[in-house]
Amino acid sequence: MDTTNFKTPDWLMIGGGAAMLILGFVLDWTSIDTGFGSASGDGPFDYFITGGLAWILVVAVGGLAVAHGLGKLPESQPWPIIFLGMAALGTILMILCLLLGARFDFADRGIGMYGAFVWAAITLAGAYMNFTSKGGNVKDLTDMDKLKSSFNQGGSNQGGSAAGADASPPPPPPAAPSASNDSPPPAPPASPSAGNDPPPPPPPAPPAG
C-alpha cells in the first residue's frame, strides 16, 4: 500500500478512526462502584443514539480517508466537506453522550466513553486541517448555495461537456472578397487596325489616246 500521498490530516483521521474501531469497542463504556470494588461493561452500541452512531461515523471517516489517500474515491465529490461533517457530527454525539452519562443511575462513565470522545476529537482535528488545506473556509459551510454547488460541481461539469459535444459548431462567416479573386473587367472592343482593313481599290486606267 502506497502511503506517500498521506498527509498529517490524513493520519489524524485514520488514527482516530482506527482507535475508535478497536479501543472504542474493547474498552468499557460504563463503570460501577460496588463498594467492594469496581465493575465495568457496556460498549458503544449500548448507547446507540449517541455513542453507537458516533462510533460508526468516526470509523467511517478513518476508512474513507484511507480510500481517498489511495485514490479509490471519485474526485467529483467534495470529500473534505464530507469528512468534516461526519467527524463534527460524531464529536457532537460523543459530547452529548458524556453529558447524559451512564445509562444507569448508580453507574458512571467508563474509560471507553472518555476515550471515544478523544478519538472523535482527533478525527475532527484531522478533518478540519484537511478541509482548510484544500482552500476551505468555515464561513462557507453556513452558505447553503455554496454547499449545494460543491456537491453539484462534478455533475454540472460532465453535463456541460456533454452539451458541448452534442451542439454543432456555428457555420464559418463568409470570406471577405479579395482583389485576387475578383474577375477581371471585360476588355474594351478592339479598335480596327490598318493591317486588317481591306486594300483600297486600284485607280482607274487612263483613257487610250
Side-chain angles (χ1 to χ4, degrees):
M1 183 173 64
D2 186 11
T3 60
T4 56
N5 294 329
F6 290 3
K7 308 299 182 183
T8 301
D10 300 319
W11 287 119
L12 289 174
M13 291 187 289
I14 295 170
M20 180 70 93
L21 173 65
I22 300 173
L23 299 178
F25 205 80
V26 172
L27 297 178
D28 295 326
W29 285 48
T30 305
S31 175
I32 300 175
D33 187 2
T34 62
F36 301 97
S38 62
S40 59
D42 289 345
F45 292 100
D46 293 301
Y47 302 88
F48 182 77
I49 300 300
T50 54
L53 291 180
W55 187 92
I56 293 173
L57 289 169
V58 174
V59 171
V61 170
L64 289 173
V66 173
H68 186 262
L70 296 176
K72 302 298 184 180
L73 298 180
E75 294 297 334
S76 59
Q77 298 300 323
W79 293 111
I81 297 178
I82 295 174
F83 293 155
L84 183 60
M86 294 174 65
L89 181 57
T91 304
I92 292 172
L93 289 174
M94 280 310 309
I95 293 174
L96 183 60
C97 185
L98 285 173
L99 292 176
L100 293 175
R103 62 194 183 109
F104 303 115
D105 294 337
F106 54 87
D108 197 2
R109 305 164 185 83
I111 188 173
M113 186 181 295
Y114 288 109
F117 166 72
V118 174
W119 303 319
I122 291 174
T123 304
L124 176 59
Y128 176 77
M129 292 171 62
N130 179 68
F131 174 72
T132 55
S133 67
K134 304 299 183 182
N137 190 338
V138 178
K139 294 181 180 180
D140 294 340
L141 299 177
T142 60
D143 191 334
M144 294 304 298
D145 293 334
K146 289 185 178 180
L147 286 176
K148 291 179 181 178
S149 64
S150 298
F151 282 91
N152 296 332
Q153 186 175 4
S156 62
N157 290 340
Q158 295 175 358
S161 60
D166 295 339
S168 58
S178 60
S180 59
N181 294 333
D182 294 338
S183 58
S191 58
S193 60
N196 294 333
D197 294 338

